[in-house]
Amino acid sequence: MSQANFTEIVQEQGLEPEAKPHLRVTVLGGGSFGTAMANLAARNGCDTMMWIRDAASATEIQNSRVNKRYLPDFTLEQSLKVVSDLELAIRDRDIILIAIPSHAFRHVVQQIAPMITAQVVVSLTKGIEKDTFYFMSDIIRQELPEVPYGVLSGPNLAKEIMQGMPAGTVIASHSEQLRVAVQHALHSALFRVFASDDVHGVELGGALKNIYAVAMGMGAAYNVGENSKSMLITRALAEMSRFAVKLGANPLTFLGLSGVGDLFATCNSPLSRNYQVGYALGQGKSLQQAVEELGQTAEGINTIVQVRARAEELDVYMPITCALYEVIFEHAPPLNVALSLMKNGNRSDVEFVLPHQQLS
Amino acid sequence: MSQANFTEIVQEQGLEPEAKPHLRVTVLGGGSFGTAMANLAARNGCDTMMWIRDAASATEIQNSRVNKRYLPDFTLEQSLKVVSDLELAIRDRDIILIAIPSHAFRHVVQQIAPMITAQVVVSLTKGIEKDTFYFMSDIIRQELPEVPYGVLSGPNLAKEIMQGMPAGTVIASHSEQLRVAVQHALHSALFRVFASDDVHGVELGGALKNIYAVAMGMGAAYNVGENSKSMLITRALAEMSRFAVKLGANPLTFLGLSGVGDLFATCNSPLSRNYQVGYALGQGKSLQQAVEELGQTAEGINTIVQVRARAEELDVYMPITCALYEVIFEHAPPLNVALSLMKNGNRSDVEFVLPHQQLS
């Protein structure tokens, strides 16, 4: 059966929510997810701009209405403006959504700092700053100390959003006003924006999930069954939430879209680079061989290095991450990842329900 | 790549835990999961019996060492005794594991009541008693009021356990002694038994998951993408935990093997009856047509009827379950299940993190 045309159904049934207040929304960055969000906001009736550093690319997208590099199969909303003038993109706007890769995130935030007046700033970027281990919300707080901020995260493949398949995401912020504004800007009948006030919890789901996609790929190389995969997902959630709680997050956040939801989507995507690197490693290849075959590196590998170091500093028990590190960098056999799930004694299923120390 | 032989690796590396204290374990019921658990206990050195009502079947399995009907491809441990004498199976035993279908569960518990002295009793059965909406732990508590009891639940396909693929489960009980005894009886290098004290929470995961397997199959008929599937899983967890909390359970339990873990395995099993019925319904077939094609009914359908009625009584908001009910019994279009995920306003992602009433 072919894909259902949810967009048509929604229109027929009159399910689109009412027109939004005329918010002025800017997306910084022209990658696939930033483009998808800008397109949603424009369709919702917001005055929407997308900023791309490279002037030629901006002009090309502005004229052709297609983001050829990242979303070649979709025509963008007519009202969406694509610009390369940062000042124009920031001044007199209501919401700034930043969809810039983590290595360039701080630099862009520093650039916009002098232009910020009453705008709110939201990170769409999943990841951890190299060396510092800061999350994107930390960077915003550091560089724009008085600006209301938030993070948006969830299982959100841009292509599926552009196709109009039902999807949801989470906006996390301590500011209710910000949450409501972002919901107004992006919420529609086929894209649901849920709210949370656990910024670090929501951010951590998106930042850590790639680790476990590598492990899932490795498991696939061993042809493990559903029992093993389910245990991997569950133990992944256990170590993610353990780590997050150490940073002040709420473990229950991992029950939501940015936790379980994003982890499920990531681990179920055999075509992702993380999964493929894991698969190659599971077949006994070295990291170098795996990366050469793929033609590019996988983000999950960097995340493993970062999170392992940070977990050691914070004294958080993360057996899957550590076993992956040993396989990738210390020539341990890949099977150790499976065994790391098994050999840690009779512990609690969810330690926030039954603490380990209560177990004999 | 063929399946890894984890059993060999575990033996080579000397990873099997030390011999168990000589526990006397009985499994009531000769289905696939009961047989797999009995086999594990026997391999762990427990004095193990499996009780099957039908004397001829018991004798056949006892002599052939194969459970031809449920696990035809596996030879059972030599030490496992298969009996049809209930008195023999219950008297002077330490742990009674009950793996009897939910419709016959109470009757068997009533039968063993006069024989119980110091045994502990654990349910391996996932389900809800028809009409009463009692869970298996409720039945044990009602029929054996002074007996320590527990429930075992998790993503545990019996065949994969027999193959020696890594797997894990949860033993939930208020009695620490019982939890430790069950861990001793069943825990091994390839089967990990985690502990919890949230009996209803653990039980509910196993009882409700089939509902969402039906929904997942329906989604597959519409060829929905990873975003939609992830949202379904997450909203399923939201309504399961909402329901469970109303019954006194801890929502964090759903982050564990019996919650997310079992849901993930169930929703990822396209061959399951629940998934297949959902798929047929998604193609526009009626329940009758779907069941006729499959040659049997799917447990998830009954669960939908039961849970919808109970959710109404308890005033718990369960939009997916209700939408499924309307599709199956009230001729609503199957797409309503997808739309039920979308049209409920801008709510909280995890209501135990950010309560709905705090949202404007």
Side-chain angles (χ1 to χ4, degrees):
Chain A
M1 196 164 178
S2 64
Q3 273 179 359
N5 190 333
F6 285 98
T7 311
E8 254 176 32
I9 293 153
V10 158
Q11 282 163 355
E12 276 167 26
Q13 303 197 3
L15 292 174
E16 274 296 351
E18 287 162 41
K20 315 286 164 154
H22 204 64
L23 286 163
R24 295 162 301 177
V25 177
T26 286
V27 176
L28 302 182
S32 59
F33 186 57
T35 305
M37 291 302 105
N39 200 56
L40 274 184
R43 196 160 60 197
N44 273 344
C46 299
D47 168 357
T48 310
M49 255 182 219
M50 183 161 80
W51 172 80
I52 297 177
R53 185 185 302 279
D54 181 58
S57 303
T59 307
E60 210 230 284
I61 298 174
Q62 171 67 33
N63 294 335
S64 69
R65 304 277 95 205
V66 177
N67 185 338
K68 285 209 183 64
R69 183 157 169 209
Y70 292 106
L71 291 167
D73 301 328
F74 303 97
T75 303
L76 303 175
E77 293 290 321
Q78 280 305 323
S79 64
L80 174 62
K81 293 186 268 301
V82 189
V83 302
S84 59
D85 178 341
L86 191 57
E87 184 100 25
L88 177 70
I90 303 295
R91 293 265 183 235
D92 297 324
R93 310 297 291 170
D94 299 305
I95 303 175
I96 312 295
L97 304 169
I98 313 186
I100 300 283
S102 59
H103 63 266
F105 196 93
R106 186 183 293 274
H107 180 64
V108 169
V109 176
Q110 286 169 339
Q111 278 186 288
I112 67 171
M115 310 164 193
I116 294 288
T117 47
Q119 305 90 325
V120 301
V121 173
V122 175
S123 162
L124 307 188
T125 300
K126 292 172 182 176
I128 305 169
E129 192 176 40
K130 209 170 167 271
D131 302 328
T132 68
F133 206 86
Y134 285 122
F135 298 103
M136 301 307 119
S137 71
D138 298 325
I139 297 176
I140 299 175
R141 219 175 44 237
Q142 289 159 6
E143 303 293 338
L144 307 171
E146 285 171 36
V147 174
Y149 65 93
V151 301
L152 190 90
S153 191
N156 297 146
L157 298 169
K159 220 177 121 182
E160 294 183 3
I161 294 168
M162 295 298 290
Q163 288 173 326
M165 302 302 285
T169 198
V170 184
I171 174 66
S173 176
H174 302 299
S175 158
E176 189 186 353
Q177 231 180 331
L178 182 149
R179 296 192 304 253
V180 171
V182 171
Q183 288 181 317
H184 276 144
L186 300 177
H187 197 88
S188 70
L190 294 173
F191 189 72
R192 227 184 129 175
V193 183
F194 295 87
S196 172
D197 59 2
D198 184 8
V199 176
H200 266 154
V202 165
E203 207 163 21
L204 267 159
L208 302 189
K209 60 170 189 171
N210 290 330
I211 296 177
Y212 308 100
V214 176
M216 202 59 138
M218 220 176 258
Y222 284 100
N223 219 344
V224 298
E226 293 306 323
N227 293 352
S228 308
K229 285 188 214 162
S230 302
M231 186 155 57
L232 174 61
I233 290 266
T234 314
R235 300 328 292 166
L237 284 165
E239 62 176 59
M240 286 165 91
S241 57
R242 195 181 298 137
F243 186 82
V245 165
K246 196 81 176 199
L247 298 179
N250 186 333
L252 273 163
T253 294
F254 289 83
L255 260 189
L257 272 172
S258 63
V260 174
D262 205 3
L263 184 66
F264 177 84
T266 306
C267 288
N268 254 357
S269 299
L271 297 178
S272 83
R273 273 173 293 172
N274 296 304
Y275 190 100
Q276 301 244 332
V277 164
Y279 190 83
L281 291 165
Q283 290 180 306
K285 293 177 184 157
S286 69
L287 179 60
Q288 206 192 328
Q289 286 174 307
V291 169
E292 272 169 23
E293 277 179 23
L294 271 175
Q296 51 190 341
T297 185
E299 208 181 327
I301 304 295
N302 300 327
T303 314
I304 288 164
V305 177
Q306 288 174 307
V307 172
R308 176 179 165 271
R310 190 80 174 123
E312 214 159 83
E313 272 170 42
L314 296 172
D315 194 25
V316 185
Y317 177 62
M318 298 187 82
I320 304 172
T321 305
C322 290
L324 284 166
Y325 184 89
E326 289 161 16
V327 170
I328 298 169
F329 298 104
E330 297 175 349
H331 309 290
L335 266 175
N336 279 20
V337 175
L339 299 175
S340 77
L341 299 174
M342 308 306 295
K343 65 181 170 191
N344 303 303
N346 303 340
R347 293 170 69 92
S348 170
D349 177 40
V350 179
E351 64 207 59
F352 309 108
V353 176
L354 181 66
H356 291 307
Q357 56 269 30
Q358 283 183 19
L359 297 173
S360 56
Chain B
M1 196 163 177
S2 64
Q3 271 180 0
N5 190 331
F6 285 98
T7 311
E8 253 175 33
I9 292 153
V10 158
Q11 282 164 355
E12 275 167 28
Q13 303 197 4
L15 292 174
E16 275 294 353
E18 285 162 44
K20 313 285 163 156
H22 203 66
L23 286 163
R24 296 162 302 178
V25 176
T26 286
V27 176
L28 303 182
S32 59
F33 186 59
T35 305
M37 292 300 106
N39 201 56
L40 273 183
R43 196 159 62 195
N44 274 343
C46 298
D47 168 358
T48 310
M49 257 182 218
M50 183 161 79
W51 173 81
I52 296 176
R53 186 184 303 277
D54 179 59
S57 304
T59 307
E60 209 230 287
I61 299 175
Q62 171 68 32
N63 293 336
S64 68
R65 305 277 93 206
V66 177
N67 184 338
K68 284 209 184 66
R69 181 156 168 210
Y70 291 105
L71 291 167
D73 301 328
F74 303 97
T75 303
L76 302 174
E77 293 289 322
Q78 281 305 322
S79 63
L80 174 60
K81 293 186 268 301
V82 188
V83 302
S84 59
D85 178 341
L86 191 56
E87 183 102 25
L88 177 70
I90 302 295
R91 293 264 184 236
D92 297 323
R93 312 295 291 170
D94 299 305
I95 303 175
I96 312 295
L97 304 169
I98 313 187
I100 299 283
S102 59
H103 64 265
F105 197 92
R106 187 184 292 274
H107 179 64
V108 169
V109 176
Q110 285 169 340
Q111 277 186 289
I112 68 171
M115 310 166 193
I116 294 289
T117 47
Q119 304 92 323
V120 302
V121 173
V122 174
S123 162
L124 308 188
T125 300
K126 293 172 182 176
I128 304 169
E129 193 177 40
K130 209 168 166 273
D131 302 327
T132 68
F133 206 85
Y134 285 122
F135 298 102
M136 302 307 120
S137 72
D138 298 324
I139 297 176
I140 299 175
R141 220 175 42 240
Q142 289 159 5
E143 303 293 338
L144 307 170
E146 285 171 36
V147 174
Y149 66 93
V151 300
L152 191 89
S153 191
N156 298 146
L157 298 168
K159 218 176 123 181
E160 294 185 3
I161 294 168
M162 295 298 289
Q163 287 173 327
M165 302 304 283
T169 199
V170 184
I171 174 68
S173 176
H174 303 298
S175 157
E176 187 186 355
Q177 231 180 331
L178 181 151
R179 296 193 302 254
V180 172
V182 171
Q183 288 181 318
H184 276 145
L186 300 178
H187 196 87
S188 70
L190 294 172
F191 190 73
R192 227 184 128 175
V193 183
F194 295 87
S196 172
D197 59 2
D198 184 8
V199 176
H200 266 155
V202 165
E203 208 164 20
L204 266 159
L208 302 190
K209 60 171 188 171
N210 291 329
I211 294 177
Y212 308 101
V214 175
M216 202 59 139
M218 220 175 259
Y222 283 99
N223 219 346
V224 297
E226 293 306 324
N227 294 351
S228 309
K229 285 187 215 164
S230 301
M231 187 157 55
L232 173 62
I233 290 265
T234 313
R235 300 329 293 166
L237 283 165
E239 63 176 60
M240 285 164 92
S241 56
R242 194 181 298 138
F243 185 84
V245 165
K246 196 83 176 197
L247 298 179
N250 185 333
L252 273 163
T253 294
F254 288 83
L255 212 46
L257 273 172
S258 61
V260 174
D262 205 3
L263 184 66
F264 176 85
T266 306
C267 288
N268 255 355
S269 298
L271 298 177
S272 83
R273 272 172 293 172
N274 296 305
Y275 190 101
Q276 302 245 331
V277 164
Y279 190 84
L281 291 166
Q283 291 180 305
K285 293 176 182 157
S286 69
L287 178 62
Q288 204 191 331
Q289 285 174 307
V291 168
E292 270 169 22
E293 277 179 24
L294 271 174
Q296 52 191 340
T297 186
E299 209 180 326
I301 304 295
N302 300 328
T303 313
I304 288 165
V305 177
Q306 288 174 307
V307 172
R308 176 179 166 273
R310 190 80 173 120
E312 213 159 85
E313 273 171 41
L314 295 172
D315 194 24
V316 184
Y317 177 62
M318 298 187 83
I320 304 172
T321 304
C322 289
L324 284 166
Y325 184 89
E326 289 160 15
V327 170
I328 299 169
F329 298 104
E330 297 174 351
H331 308 290
L335 266 176
N336 279 22
V337 175
L339 299 175
S340 76
L341 298 175
M342 308 306 295
K343 65 181 168 188
N344 303 303
N346 303 340
R347 293 169 69 92
S348 171
D349 177 42
V350 179
E351 63 206 58
F352 309 109
V353 176
L354 181 66
H356 292 305
Q357 56 269 34
Q358 284 182 18
L359 297 173
S360 56

